[in-house]
Structures are given as structure tokens and as C-alpha cells.
Amino acid sequence: MAAPLTAYGLLIAAIVAETFATSCLNASQQLSRLWPTLGSIAGYCVSFYCLSQVLRYLPVGIAYAIWCALGIILVTLMGYVWFGQKMDLPALIGMGLIIAGVLIIHLFSRTATHG
């Protein structure tokens, strides 16, 4: 049985909140700036709450694999746009392999849903 659409919506919300929190963490300058620090704390709280709800429908390994793959993409994009961080070719290839692995698991493995 496939996971409900709401589980994937909550997973996307969790990933977006986590990448927001991670970007705020970078902007907080080692937790020395109040607003980015508070944004980071709030983002992680929202993210973990949403992820906890996702785990009703998806196995933790699958949910976390999707979280990691999409989180890598979003954090890399945010780092590039907001902080001017650039990735070299080996880093991009490595991230692509991680994403390919998640797609293979999700599309072809029987562990992608609770049995």
C-alpha cells in the first residue's frame, strides 16, 4: 500500500523547514546572532515534528533517505544563492550519486512502504 499523499507533503514540509534551519544556523555565526539562531531552533522543531508524523506512513530509512537527498539539493542551492558557496565537479557528482541511490530505493525496493 502506498503512503498517503499527506505523508509526502509533510515530508516536503520537514525538508524545507530543516534546510531553512540549516541556513539560519549558518547565518547565526555560531549562534551569536539572535534572529538567525531563533529561526534555526524554530525550523528544526517544525522539521522534526513533521518528520515524526511522516513516520506513521513511511519506514524511517526511506523517509530519511528522501530527506537527505532533497536536503542536499536544497542546502546546496541555498548555500550558493545566499552565501556564495560554490561546489566543484566531484562534489556535484557525489551528490548526484546519493540522489540516484535514493531514487533506486524508492522506485524499485519493496521497503519503500510499510508492509
Side-chain angles (χ1 to χ4, degrees), residues 18-82:
E18 190 272 334
T19 55
F20 169 79
T22 300
S23 294
C24 285
L25 190 61
N26 188 54
S28 76
Q29 297 177 356
Q30 294 73 45
L31 306 177
S32 66
R33 296 179 60 215
L34 178 63
W35 293 113
T37 298
L38 293 177
S40 184
I41 292 167
Y44 284 126
C45 288
V46 168
S47 180
F48 291 135
Y49 174 78
C50 289
L51 182 62
S52 74
Q53 299 306 304
V54 169
L55 297 180
R56 291 180 182 181
Y57 305 103
L58 294 175
V60 68
I62 299 302
Y64 197 71
I66 295 168
W67 166 302
C68 290
L70 293 178
I72 286 169
I73 294 168
L74 289 176
V75 168
T76 301
L77 288 172
M78 292 171 114
Y80 179 77
V81 171
W82 289 354

